[in-house]
Amino acid sequence: MCGIIGIASNKSVSMNIINSLKKLEYRGYDSAGIATLTNNTINEKKCSGRVEELEKILFKNPSEGNVGIGHVRWATHGIPNTLNAHPHSSEKVSVVHNGIIENSDELKKTLEEKGFKFKSETDTEVITLLVTESLKKSDPLESVFKTLKKLKGSFALGIIFKNHTDIIIGARRGSPLAVGYSKEENYLGSDSYALKSMTNKISYLDDGEICVLSKSEISFFDANQNKINKKIHIVSDDENTADKGDYKNFMSKEIFEQPNTAKKCVSEYIDSLKKDINIYNFPITPGEIEKIILIGCGTAYHSCLVAKYWFEELTSIEVEIDIASEFRYRNLKFSTKNLYIFVSQSGETADTAAALEICKKNKVKTCSVVNVVESTIARNSDWVLPIHAGPEIGVASTKAFLGQLIVLYILCLKLSSVRNDIDKKSYNINIENLKKLPDAIAKTLKSEGDIQIMAQEFLKARGSMFLGRGSSFPIALEGALKLKELSYLHAEGYPAGEMKHGPLALIEEGLPVIVIAPKDKYFEKTLSNTQEVIARGGKIFFITDIKKRLLSTNIRLRLRVPHLDNFLSPILLTIPLQLLAYHVALLKSCDIDKPRNLAKSVTVE
Ligand code: AGP
């Protein structure tokens, strides 16, 4: 994780670095720092905590300089304190780093034997001292090349040099890095999002590449030190970027944006005139796809899990799902008849990107379902299906989950149609229902009042359980994940039918249990499982889409969402769970957009 920014300009850069770091805080927010160059001096300032703290330090004691680097950290090696915050500077260089140096202990030992002293507990400081050592005999570029050869692991780096006050060197292996072009200044950034407010002209470094940027020029080199050219991308100017408007925080804005997210996504893919889905150029002839493998992490994995139920129900294609961090290390049998689908909001998640890389090495066809179309995962896959959700800033994913579900469902419908797995009439009905989804989401959001009441009941709870069967099981997992990450309250998601195989032992008087029970083929079974929980004292919150009032006694609260069809139920049932996690966190005064220990984009393994 962590965020990097670098600016080489003809004017003072510190305030622009601070502003960019604020945009990068979604990548990490436990400490922050900046280093600029003036009169052959490295001005390093850093602190634990948020960029706001760093800004206060600079306000009292400004940092001059037309070249500088900045960093927001998500701690991996060493606790989040000022000493471990980046940049890490010696008397000659200053370094910001994103990633993990796996052989840092070994390198540290060798450097200490040579008399180098370390100030921090980080793995990054070995890079600072290796470059410093190389500078005795080499120029900056050569020193960086020599240093990179000694490093194992993943990194994106930004480096400035006391005696070369006009340049920043950037390097990438594993962790994303971009450069931005402007008339009188150039930029380095860990993603294009941080650069967008300054430029829309971006180039992305590939693994092994190095860039040298000054205010007027950017040069690129491959791993063999050959000069190379890079393509310049004009990045899309996403609407409503980092503005939370009248909302208290980004998460509430993003939850309430979901009717529009759905509308935009549906209208991008549905051709209302032809009553068809606009998805073409499949990387494998649809009729020849034997298996689909869906891969993601966290919330994105949950959307894969929901999609598995859809693909199994609507198509004749075999489906597997996997968590990216597991997929990448399994001994898999790859097949060119399989389509490997990678789901990721950011498109930068390290495990998902590595899993995709393995597929590429095995020469199988890949598809990505992403929000950020300029991302590494999108650029590296054969086929991209964007979710069109617009920037998602809250660390807890809400509207992107919704977008992922919609795109996966649309893909599933299209495949079922082109493979003749579905009849024309059902296909048309399903498309018509999809078009009604935005309104149904808007209606579901009206349940907020009931959910606020429900949230009160979680305040004294020692834990909670989320239960569902069929496609409501992944929704239970997602509900539990949202509550955990936002409110720090323990929550377990389970298939309701699994309860008696162990988790029922956790049920005690008053334990909040959320049952997700749409009117599907599992409904009666879920009711029986609910009775088993009631009999042991569980406090039931029943979320359903049926009108009939069932189980009127012993249910603490019954919440009804609109019903369109069984395929769209998981999407609608997700909304109350997002609101629940949000309101419990709000009552507990948690940091909603930046939950503790987390980061939006998990770019380390
Ligand atoms: C969701 O609320 C989480 N913060 C997290 O699980 C996230 O979905 C996961 O890290 C994957 O991120 P990605 O979609 O950007 O790949």
Side-chain angles (χ1 to χ4, degrees):
M1 281 97 93
C2 307
I4 288 177
I5 187 79
I7 307 181
S9 177
N10 59 3
K11 54 180 191 281
S12 175
V13 291
S14 58
M15 275 309 126
N16 276 347
I17 290 179
I18 292 291
N19 290 336
S20 304
L21 287 180
K22 284 182 185 163
K23 294 205 173 74
L24 282 171
E25 272 196 307
Y26 77 94
R27 299 178 74 96
Y29 35 82
D30 56 41
S31 52
I34 182 171
T36 56
L37 295 171
T38 27
N39 306 326
N40 285 11
T41 315
I42 296 172
N43 308 305
E44 181 197 273
K45 297 205 171 88
K46 44 196 200 178
C47 63
S48 62
R50 301 283 163 87
V51 177
E52 255 176 43
E53 300 306 314
L54 184 65
E55 194 174 21
K56 284 183 200 154
I57 295 173
L58 284 173
F59 192 66
K60 281 193 202 141
N61 184 8
S63 275
E64 288 310 318
N66 297 356
V67 167
I69 48 178
H71 191 266
V72 280
R73 179 168 186 249
W74 184 85
T76 55
H77 283 60
I79 56 164
N81 60 15
T82 306
L83 267 186
N84 290 334
H86 298 216
H88 289 282
S89 310
S90 67
E91 72 287 2
K92 288 192 175 154
V93 295
S94 186
V95 178
V96 284
H97 167 218
N98 181 7
I100 296 178
I101 304 304
E102 284 161 7
N103 57 339
S104 61
D105 286 351
E106 241 166 86
L107 293 168
K108 189 170 177 182
K109 213 169 143 226
T110 320
L111 284 160
E112 280 174 336
E113 279 162 10
K114 290 181 185 169
F116 285 96
K117 298 260 177 294
F118 282 80
K119 293 181 268 187
S120 75
E121 301 159 311
T122 65
D123 50 344
T124 306
E125 210 178 342
V126 297
I127 307 173
T128 308
L129 297 182
L130 285 172
V131 177
T132 305
E133 186 188 29
S134 282
L135 279 170
K136 287 179 193 156
K137 293 191 187 144
S138 317
D139 66 15
L141 185 60
E142 187 64 31
S143 304
V144 173
F145 272 118
K146 281 186 185 163
T147 299
L148 299 193
K149 282 192 188 130
K150 295 180 184 155
L151 303 180
K152 287 191 188 138
S154 67
F155 50 79
L157 299 172
I159 310 175
I160 54 173
F161 305 82
K162 179 187 155 195
N163 297 328
H164 300 265
T165 52
D166 54 341
I167 58 161
I168 304 175
I169 294 190
R172 172 192 171 153
R173 191 194 296 159
S175 301
L177 196 63
V179 296
Y181 307 78
S182 180
K183 260 192 185 153
E184 286 164 348
E185 48 188 32
N186 288 313
Y187 316 100
L188 184 73
S190 42
D191 60 37
S192 56
Y193 176 65
L195 305 182
K196 269 183 185 173
S197 60
M198 302 183 283
T199 180
N200 66 347
K201 289 197 192 99
I202 309 270
S203 291
Y204 299 96
L205 270 76
D206 288 316
D207 273 349
E209 290 178 354
I210 288 192
C211 63
V212 183
L213 58 114
S214 67
K215 64 181 179 195
S216 53
E217 204 188 339
I218 309 183
S219 315
F220 297 94
F221 301 86
D222 66 14
N224 300 320
Q225 307 187 25
N226 302 312
K227 217 167 176 189
I228 50 168
N229 291 320
K230 297 293 293 180
K231 192 173 160 198
I232 299 179
H233 301 257
I234 306 296
V235 295
S236 57
D237 190 15
D238 279 312
E239 72 288 4
N240 59 29
T241 34
D243 180 10
K244 53 181 184 251
D246 292 336
Y247 288 94
K248 273 201 183 96
N249 40 55
F250 280 106
M251 188 189 180
S252 58
K253 175 182 177 246
E254 286 154 8
I255 290 176
F256 281 90
E257 252 169 31
Q258 290 179 110
N260 278 338
T261 313
K263 200 170 175 182
K264 174 114 200 293
C265 189
V266 169
S267 66
E268 291 281 346
Y269 286 101
I270 306 283
D271 184 331
S272 286
L273 279 180
K274 285 199 232 149
K275 294 199 166 63
D276 201 357
I277 292 170
N278 289 324
I279 295 188
Y280 307 102
N281 303 326
F282 285 86
I284 307 179
T285 310
E288 287 170 11
I289 300 175
E290 279 182 359
K291 203 199 276 183
I292 282 180
I293 297 99
L294 295 145
I295 301 137
C297 299
T299 289
Y301 170 71
H302 295 157
S303 66
C304 299
L305 202 42
V306 177
K308 181 177 161 74
Y309 288 90
W310 287 330
F311 279 105
E312 284 176 351
E313 203 67 38
L314 286 161
T315 75
S316 51
I317 308 172
E318 205 188 316
V319 192
E320 266 180 35
I321 48 165
D322 217 334
I323 293 173
S325 56
E326 291 296 314
F327 180 94
R328 62 184 289 192
Y329 292 112
R330 285 173 56 211
N331 189 10
L332 293 159
K333 316 289 171 288
F334 289 92
S335 164
T336 49
K337 301 237 166 99
N338 296 348
L339 179 61
Y340 297 79
I341 304 181
F342 295 85
V343 183
S344 173
Q345 186 284 130
S346 61
E348 299 294 353
T349 301
D351 284 318
T352 315
L356 168 64
E357 208 51 51
I358 290 165
C359 287
K360 282 178 66 188
K361 279 195 188 124
N362 283 280
K363 301 192 169 40
V364 289
K365 293 295 179 200
T366 57
C367 163
S368 60
V369 175
V370 291
N371 195 24
V372 184
V373 287
E374 301 97 7
S375 60
T376 308
I377 291 173
R379 283 181 286 119
N380 285 350
S381 46
D382 296 313
W383 200 44
V384 185
L385 297 174
I387 64 169
H388 301 288
E392 187 181 67
I393 311 295
V395 165
S397 187
T398 52
K399 65 174 183 171
F401 180 60
L402 184 112
Q404 289 160 357
L405 290 178
I406 296 174
V407 170
L408 289 169
Y409 180 56
I410 287 176
L411 174 65
C412 171
L413 273 183
K414 181 72 179 183
L415 278 171
S416 71
S417 156
V418 291
R419 289 168 62 99
N420 294 321
D421 289 333
I422 192 172
D423 60 81
K424 188 74 189 146
K425 190 173 164 215
S426 311
Y427 181 65
N428 287 342
I429 293 174
N430 289 338
I431 289 184
E432 281 314 303
N433 285 337
L434 251 175
K435 291 204 266 180
K436 293 180 197 151
L437 186 63
D439 284 344
I441 296 171
K443 273 193 199 132
T444 311
L445 285 166
K446 293 198 174 131
S447 59
E448 193 182 15
D450 284 343
I451 290 162
Q452 276 170 309
I453 299 168
M454 189 168 158
Q456 301 274 0
E457 310 241 7
F458 282 70
L459 288 182
K460 291 199 186 102
R462 288 202 301 168
S464 61
M465 280 208 148
F466 290 70
L467 307 179
R469 297 182 81 127
S471 60
S472 302
F473 158 53
I475 300 307
L477 290 180
E478 176 60 8
L481 177 66
K482 284 288 97 89
L483 191 66
K484 273 184 268 209
E485 65 177 337
L486 283 162
S487 71
Y488 320 141
L489 184 72
H490 184 71
E492 291 269 8
Y494 263 103
E498 262 301 283
M499 288 299 284
K500 57 178 88 61
H501 300 289
L504 209 49
L506 293 173
I507 304 294
E508 55 185 20
E509 199 58 44
L511 185 92
V513 179
I514 292 95
V515 179
I516 304 141
K519 182 70 188 145
D520 56 15
K521 64 181 175 191
Y522 307 93
F523 185 73
E524 302 301 333
K525 305 266 174 216
T526 310
L527 276 190
S528 308
N529 301 138
T530 309
Q531 292 294 9
E532 290 158 8
V533 174
I534 290 172
R536 283 151 185 93
K539 198 196 278 179
I540 302 289
F541 299 89
F542 201 74
I543 306 184
T544 184
D545 56 8
I546 59 163
K547 281 194 190 142
K548 222 167 111 196
R549 190 162 277 277
L550 285 160
L551 284 164
S552 52
T553 53
N554 296 326
I555 298 264
R556 189 72 176 194
L557 198 129
R558 179 183 170 280
L559 202 99
R560 195 168 82 79
V561 303
H563 178 83
L564 290 171
D565 63 40
N566 284 348
F567 298 117
L568 295 174
S569 298
I571 300 182
L572 293 168
L573 290 161
T574 302
I575 313 281
L577 305 183
Q578 296 171 341
L579 286 168
L580 174 68
Y582 173 76
H583 281 289
V584 177
L586 202 63
L587 288 170
K588 291 184 78 182
S589 302
C590 298
D591 189 338
I592 305 265
D593 286 336
K594 297 188 180 81
R596 72 180 180 205
N597 305 339
L598 301 179
K600 182 73 181 160
S601 185
V602 186
T603 54
V604 290
E605 194 180 343

